[in-house]
Amino acid sequence: MLLTVSAPAAAQAPAPAGQTGFEAADAAAQEDPREVVGAPKGAALAGPALEARTEEVAALLRCPVCQGLSIADSPASMATKMKARVRELLAAGYDEEQILAYFERSYGEFVRLEPPRRGINWLVWLAPPMALLGGLVLVSRVFMRPKGVSVAPPGPPAPSADSLPSRDALPDDPALARNVLRIREQAYGWPGGVPPAETP
Amino acid sequence: MNRRVLAVGLLVVVPLIGILVLNIGRDPHAFNSPMIGRPAPTFTLRALGGGEPVSLAALRGRPVVINFWATWCVPCYEEHAVLVAAAREAGDSVQFLGVIYEDDADRVADFLSRQGSAYPSLMDDDGKTAMAYGIYGVPETFFVDAQGRIAAKYTGPLHREALAENLVLAGGGKS
């Protein structure tokens, strides 16, 4: 149980082994994660593998004091402490799911940056691909429509280029032709009513 | 055809708008703690100013009020007086505990010497206790019943009435 006397500094620095070790450990004791998520299911990690895995798991946890950042990305002090906790749990052999469940117990599902695939959360995972699939079906149906079946109701046929008189055509009547040329000269500024050479 | 398009469109859009409207102004952090009704995570923490470390497990048998706070948190100033007064009034029937969140011991000691204190302030240097309780910000206060279960949680600065109401849920105080 508790010691009746304890040095206040005991918990700040690791106590030298053998002397006040019990006191120091006791002064900062926490519940055993085993009570929350059971015995470790994974292999205990160490060294570079531990560091790499810490980053991966930390990237899945939301920093509670930030806006939409993972604890891997956040410089906040609390996020750093949570990352240290993740490292500790990985070193003790807890697997990813156990660690996520450990934090979820305290912070709720919100702490997971990826909604766990269960219950109504399936909507979040399935709705976007379903919508995409639906869109593809819709688009393919429009494009695969058999030729000749028109979407728009048939309207008056568009005038074709052949049916319009060309701009330098003149009526057969010479008097009428002269008038047309004069009008073209006035209206378009063409000298003599003769259209300028086509410029591309 | 157009009616069908409209119907399908409405079928998709109306529920989405419904969800948005229902959740407007809702803080994603402000949901009920998943811990209510569950065993309070145990801890043994060093008390500020020396004395023996305080263990939650050893306090079983009477209600415990655990207040997470910091001196940099302005609302915590307001609630400090409320908590101290309530702790003095409750005497031994309820144990009050302060857990320091992201703050240093000297500043807390200075604050307490000026503002008064009536219960232990515990140092949670590695943040593990705050993590175990799922603290999103300070102040947050947990009301643990005599069996060691979390009976209630209050987010934000406590006032007299809220403190009394939640204490009753934990089986303490006068109903």
Side-chain angles (χ1 to χ4, degrees), chain B residues 67-84 101 103 111 115 119 137-141 154-160:
Chain B
N67 174 238
F68 287 85
W69 71 286
T71 60
W72 48 259
C73 143
V74 177
C76 300
Y77 281 59
E78 300 168 31
E79 96 177 331
H80 183 74
V82 174
L83 284 161
V84 168
Y101 178 86
D103 206 345
F111 176 93
Q115 306 288 325
Y119 50 87
V138 276
E140 281 184 23
T141 309
Y154 192 85
T155 305
L158 276 165
H159 46 88
R160 271 184 72 85

Side-chain angles (χ1 to χ4, degrees), chain A residues 36-54:
Chain A
V36 183
V37 293
K41 287 181 190 159
L45 300 178
L50 173 62
E51 289 311 311
R53 200 78 190 99
T54 300

Side-chain angles (χ1 to χ4, degrees), chain B residues 72-130:
Chain B
W72 48 259
C73 143
V74 177
C76 300
Y77 281 59
E78 300 168 31
E79 96 177 331
H80 183 74
V82 174
L83 284 161
V84 168
R88 293 209 169 115
E89 197 181 314
D92 283 342
S93 66
V94 177
Q95 178 64 56
F96 283 71
L97 296 175
V99 178
I100 309 303
Y101 178 86
E102 297 283 292
D103 206 345
D104 78 53
D106 293 343
R107 237 173 298 173
V108 175
D110 182 50
F111 176 93
L112 293 175
S113 71
R114 282 184 286 112
Q115 306 288 325
S117 67
Y119 50 87
S121 287
L122 310 177
M123 295 308 296
D124 178 30
D125 293 320
D126 53 12
K128 280 183 189 164
T129 303

Side-chain angles (χ1 to χ4, degrees), chain A residues 12-105:
Chain A
Q12 280 176 320
Q19 293 178 353
T20 51
F22 169 67
E23 193 177 289
D26 205 30
Q30 292 292 327
E31 73 181 334
D32 191 344
R34 207 175 275 267
E35 291 167 28
V36 183
V37 293
K41 287 181 190 159
L45 300 178
L50 173 62
E51 289 311 311
R53 200 78 190 99
T54 300
E55 288 298 324
E56 284 170 18
V57 176
L60 297 174
L61 285 165
R62 185 188 302 274
C63 159
V65 297
C66 322
Q67 298 283 341
L69 270 184
S70 78
I71 59 168
D73 296 329
S74 168
S77 152
M78 199 60 208
T80 313
K81 288 174 183 176
M82 283 173 78
K83 212 167 121 178
R85 185 66 162 149
V86 168
R87 186 180 294 113
E88 205 176 280
L89 292 171
L90 284 169
Y94 292 94
D95 69 13
E96 176 182 306
E97 188 46 41
Q98 282 182 306
I99 293 169
L100 297 180
Y102 176 77
F103 283 99
E104 184 177 352
R105 186 270 314 233

